[in-house]
């Protein structure tokens, strides 16, 4: 089942169950995916493109959560936490820190990186492998650790 089919089925279910928050988030995700397809001039998005849209939606919410948390807006923080949990339902299984660390080590060996000057080379090689499966800041942290 494609992501779009899954979103449509979940949207129907959310309507039946009167789950306003879930319905709203699913509609936002679908709208973002449709906008991306229009922008790319494609009829349908590839899985990789869908994952890019989902990752962007999740990142936007996490960034907003951080800002609202700093501002002490608990009402919005709770709403965003709910939205994040819904978006995460559609993301691929996340890699553990150990798995990310192991992938970073392998990529450093593959690229022949020796120092922090090679960090860009390592990051550009590893990000396509873990797209949507781990947070970029976590990957960055491990790359810095292993290259120092």
């Amino acid at each position: 089942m494609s992501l779009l089919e899954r979103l449509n089925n979940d949207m129907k279910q959310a309507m039946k169950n009167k789950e306003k928050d879930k319905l709203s988030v699913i509609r936002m995700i679908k709208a973002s995916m449709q906008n991306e397809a229009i922008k790319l001039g494609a009829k349908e998005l590839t899985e990789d493109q869908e994952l890019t849209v989902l990752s962007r939606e999740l990142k936007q919410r996490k960034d907003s959560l951080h800002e609202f948390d700093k501002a002490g807006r608990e009402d919005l923080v709770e709403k965003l936490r709910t939205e994040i949990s819904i978006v995460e339902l559609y993301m691929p299984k996340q890699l553990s820190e150990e798995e990310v660390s192991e992938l970073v080590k392998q990529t450093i060996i593959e690229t022949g990186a020796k120092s922090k000057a090679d960090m860009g080379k390592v990051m550009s090689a590893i990000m396509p492998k873990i797209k949507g499966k781990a947070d970029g800041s976590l990957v960055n942290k491990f790359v810095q650790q292993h290259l120092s």
Side-chain angles (χ1 to χ4, degrees):
M1 178 185 304
S2 76
L3 179 61
L4 198 54
E5 290 171 345
R6 195 170 150 210
L7 286 168
N8 284 329
N9 289 340
D10 288 354
M11 189 169 80
K12 289 174 190 172
Q13 197 59 47
M15 283 181 198
K16 288 178 185 175
N17 297 342
K18 296 184 180 8
E19 298 171 289
K20 289 180 184 176
D21 290 340
K22 188 172 186 176
L23 182 61
S24 171
V25 173
I26 291 172
R27 283 181 172 156
M28 281 189 263
I29 293 170
K30 284 186 63 178
S32 293
M33 292 175 81
Q34 287 172 335
N35 288 339
E36 187 74 9
I38 291 167
K39 186 174 101 180
L40 296 172
K43 194 166 187 132
E44 288 184 11
L45 296 177
T46 64
E47 277 188 44
D48 195 43
Q49 292 166 333
E50 289 175 342
L51 190 57
T52 300
V53 172
L54 272 178
S55 297
R56 188 176 351 160
E57 289 292 313
L58 189 61
K59 185 174 181 346
Q60 285 173 350
R61 284 171 174 78
K62 285 184 176 180
D63 290 346
S64 297
L65 177 71
H66 179 69
E67 292 302 316
F68 289 146
D69 202 25
K70 277 193 339 192
R73 295 290 310 267
E74 283 305 313
D75 54 328
L76 296 173
V77 167
E78 212 41 56
K79 181 179 184 289
L80 274 172
R81 282 197 178 116
T82 303
E83 288 184 11
I84 288 170
S85 67
I86 294 167
V87 174
E88 285 176 339
L89 294 173
Y90 302 100
M91 294 291 290
K93 181 184 170 291
Q94 297 294 296
L95 297 173
S96 69
E97 286 193 9
E98 295 80 33
E99 291 169 319
V100 172
S101 180
E102 202 52 46
L103 272 170
V104 167
K105 288 177 192 173
Q106 289 173 3
T107 306
I108 288 173
I109 293 167
E110 288 169 13
T111 58
K114 301 281 186 240
S115 67
K116 286 196 180 202
D118 299 323
M119 190 165 166
K121 184 166 50 169
V122 175
M123 289 298 288
S124 62
I126 196 168
M127 288 314 284
K129 295 179 188 176
I130 60 147
K131 187 173 193 166
K133 296 178 187 172
D135 186 41
S137 60
L138 179 67
V139 176
N140 190 325
K141 181 181 94 173
F142 282 120
V143 171
Q144 285 183 6
Q145 277 179 0
H146 293 302
L147 286 178
S148 58

